Amino acid sequence: MTFPILETERLILRQVTQDDAGSLLTYLSDPDVMKHVGLDPFETIEDSLGEISWYDSIYKEKTGIRWGITLKEKGEVIGSCGFLKMASQHFRAEVGTELHRDYWGQGIASESLEAVIQYGFLQLNLQRIEGLIEPANLSSKKLFEKHGFVCEGLLRKYEFTCGKFDDLYMYSLLKEDFSGV
């Protein structure tokens, strides 16, 4: 099973390996990056290795796929984007992304999300892609709406993360509504 590589105008989305643990630690230890992820900021390289192990496990189990975001001219992972909670029998998956703060506001999250959505609809044959977003996460709401996601409603106290219950907005994009298909 060969891990798919996605290429955009500026980016290469590739498999994250143990060699990328330091890069992950750099941005996943930033409280602002982790603010809406539902995890505490990472503190050690072991935290990063655990994340990479999780990426590997969801890929092997076919419950998700997570790409490392890299700039074409650099090999360093500066974020990730991908699917989790894939329900192949229902042709749906949840999508998520995070990005190193040094690259915010440059369209990188948008470019990588577009590639991942297109892969989901064209290669994985998904019919529905979901995004769960905390109400305070205005940048993610804006990003998802830019890509045609519709807010379906608020899921009250939907997850318990970092010692608290979180409300989450359910966003969705259907294959027939995606302009890239």
Side-chain angles (χ1 to χ4, degrees):
M1 194 160 59
T2 304
F3 194 94
I5 296 172
L6 307 181
E7 187 172 341
T8 69
E9 184 179 333
R10 299 179 294 165
L11 309 172
I12 302 249
L13 281 69
R14 62 164 175 84
Q15 186 170 22
V16 179
T17 68
Q18 290 188 353
D19 293 339
D20 299 310
S23 298
L24 264 69
L25 183 59
T26 300
Y27 67 86
L28 294 177
S29 63
D30 183 335
D32 287 335
V33 170
M34 300 301 280
K35 187 175 186 178
H36 301 294
V37 173
L39 298 171
D40 289 320
F42 287 17
E43 296 178 355
T44 66
I45 203 78
E46 286 74 28
D47 293 338
S48 296
L49 290 170
E51 185 77 356
I52 294 166
S53 178
W54 178 69
Y55 294 168
D56 290 342
S57 71
I58 63 171
Y59 182 63
K60 286 175 188 160
E61 295 165 4
K62 295 183 170 86
T63 59
I65 181 170
R66 196 78 174 187
W67 286 271
I69 301 168
T70 66
L71 297 171
K72 281 187 176 177
E73 67 273 9
K74 300 179 182 179
E76 182 180 357
V77 173
I78 59 170
S80 79
C81 187
F83 297 114
L84 62 150
K85 299 180 184 171
M86 287 175 51
S88 57
Q89 72 274 26
H90 300 296
F91 300 89
R92 74 171 181 252
E94 183 181 325
V95 70
T97 188
E98 80 279 327
L99 189 63
H100 191 299
R101 79 161 53 242
D102 290 352
Y103 299 94
W104 291 357
Q106 298 176 31
I108 291 171
S110 182
E111 194 172 323
S112 59
L113 183 63
E114 179 79 14
V116 167
I117 291 168
Q118 192 161 19
Y119 183 87
F121 286 137
L122 298 179
Q123 303 303 316
L124 298 177
N125 197 31
L126 297 174
Q127 293 298 309
R128 175 185 169 91
I129 298 175
E130 301 172 342
L132 295 172
I133 302 172
E134 290 183 7
N137 191 347
L138 301 179
S139 60
S140 284
K141 288 179 0 185
K142 183 178 173 184
L143 172 66
F144 277 62
E145 289 167 359
K146 174 183 176 182
H147 288 277
F149 282 76
V150 173
C151 182
E152 296 180 331
L154 182 68
L155 304 172
R156 300 179 309 146
K157 302 205 183 303
Y158 188 73
E159 288 184 339
F160 185 79
T161 60
C162 301
K164 65 183 180 6
F165 288 99
D166 293 321
D167 294 342
L168 297 172
Y169 281 116
M170 171 62 80
Y171 278 79
S172 72
L173 179 64
L174 303 179
K175 186 174 190 174
E176 59 263 25
D177 297 332
F178 179 58
S179 59
V181 176

